[in-house]
Amino acid sequence: RKEVEQDPGPFNVPEGATVAFNCTYSNSASQSFFWYRQDCRKEPKLLMSVYSSGNEDGRFTAQLNRASQYISLLIRDSKLSDSATYLCVVNPPGYSSASKIIFGSGTRLSIRP
Amino acid sequence: GAVVSQHPSWVICKSGTSVKIECRSLDFQATTMFWYRQFPKQSLMLMATSNEGSKATYEQGVEKDKFLINHASLTLSTLTVTSAHPEDSSFYICSATGTTNTGELFFGEGSRLTVL
C-alpha cells in the first residue's frame, strides 16, 4: 500500500461547481498534513495546511479524519483558474513539518467554462 | 515569502554528458535543501536531503555516485547528474528550509532535463 494515495482523476467540472478530493495515508502516526497545488510544468505551491479541527480559506475547506486516515479538500464555486493538480502531502512521524514530507501522486482538476 | 531560485529551468544534453542544476535561497539561509524528481503524471519523489557542510542523505534506490549533491554554502546546493542517459530525463525540483522556516517548504521553479 502506498504511504499516500489519491484518486488521479481527472475531475472535469463546470465553472461554479463544488468539487471534493480525498487522500488516504497509511501511517496512523502521521502528524502534519497539507494540500499543495501544482500547475503544469511548475513547482508545487502550498495551498493550505490541514488542521485536526478542519480549516477554511475562502472557497477552500480542508478536513482531517484521523479515524479513517484521510484528508479532504473541498473547493466551492470553482473558477477556471482552479484547474491544476492538487497534491496531498503528509509528514511521516519523527520528522518536523519542514523536513521529510511525502507527496501523493496528485489529483488533476480541470474546470470548464 | 521566502524565495528559492533554480537554474537552469530547462536543459537538453547528449547521453553520457553531465549536467549541473543549481538551487539558491535568495533571501534566507537554507540549512537544509531537498532534491526531488518528478516523472510525467507521477508524484514528486524525494531523492536526497542535503544539510549545509555535510554529505547528503540519499533515499533508497537513488545512486549517490550518479546524482552528486553539494551543499557547500547556506544559500546554494547543486545537483549534478553524471553520465546522463535518456531515462534520467525528468523534472528536478529543489526545496529549502532554514532560518525563515514557518513549516512551509519553499520550492525552486524546477529544472526540466531532457537527455537525447
Side-chain angles (χ1 to χ4, degrees), chain B:
Chain B
V3 178
V4 176
S5 176
Q6 202 172 326
H7 177 81
S9 55
W10 58 271
V11 58
I12 301 173
C13 70
K14 292 182 179 179
S15 185
T17 60
S18 294
V19 174
K20 180 184 284 187
I21 301 170
E22 294 186 347
C23 180
R24 294 180 185 273
S25 57
L26 299 185
D27 54 358
F28 69 103
Q29 293 182 323
T31 51
T32 305
M33 285 187 172
F34 306 90
W35 287 95
Y36 297 84
R37 179 168 55 183
Q38 185 178 33
F39 293 107
K41 298 186 179 181
Q42 294 188 27
S43 180
L44 278 79
M45 297 299 295
L46 180 65
M47 299 174 67
T49 302
S50 75
N51 294 295
E52 185 268 335
S54 60
K55 290 184 178 180
T57 301
Y58 290 80
E59 295 298 303
Q60 192 173 9
V62 179
E63 300 174 59
K64 62 180 182 180
D65 294 329
K66 180 169 182 64
F67 299 99
L68 301 179
I69 292 173
N70 183 286
H71 191 167
S73 78
L74 284 171
T75 58
L76 174 65
S77 176
T78 61
L79 166 69
T80 300
V81 183
T82 62
S83 186
H85 289 92
E87 58 266 29
D88 298 323
S89 299
S90 187
F91 191 49
Y92 293 86
I93 308 177
C94 71
S95 67
T97 184
T99 54
T100 62
N101 172 38
T102 58
E104 177 181 354
L105 274 178
F106 299 98
F107 287 86
E109 306 95 328
S111 300
R112 187 161 300 280
L113 170 63
T114 301
V115 184
L116 303 176

Side-chain angles (χ1 to χ4, degrees), chain A residues 22-105:
Chain A
N22 276 351
C23 164
T24 58
Y25 58 95
S26 61
N27 192 323
S28 60
S30 299
Q31 292 297 318
S32 302
F33 309 89
F34 310 88
W35 282 104
Y36 276 73
R37 168 192 170 132
Q38 186 176 25
D39 293 295
C40 188
R41 297 175 182 266
K42 299 285 188 181
E43 75 277 18
K45 294 187 178 178
L46 180 65
L47 179 64
M48 58 197 305
S49 302
V50 185
Y51 302 123
S52 297
S53 56
N55 48 301
E56 187 175 309
D57 183 2
R59 298 182 292 109
F60 299 85
T61 300
Q63 296 279 352
L64 167 63
N65 186 316
R66 286 193 182 275
S68 300
Q69 293 180 212
Y70 75 84
I71 65 173
S72 64
L73 176 68
L74 180 78
I75 305 175
R76 290 181 299 277
D77 188 25
S78 53
K79 311 292 184 188
L80 294 176
S81 57
D82 294 333
S83 297
T85 296
Y86 290 83
L87 303 171
C88 170
V89 177
V90 176
N91 229 165
Y95 292 89
S96 70
S97 61
S99 60
K100 184 171 182 174
I101 58 176
I102 299 172
F103 287 86
S105 55

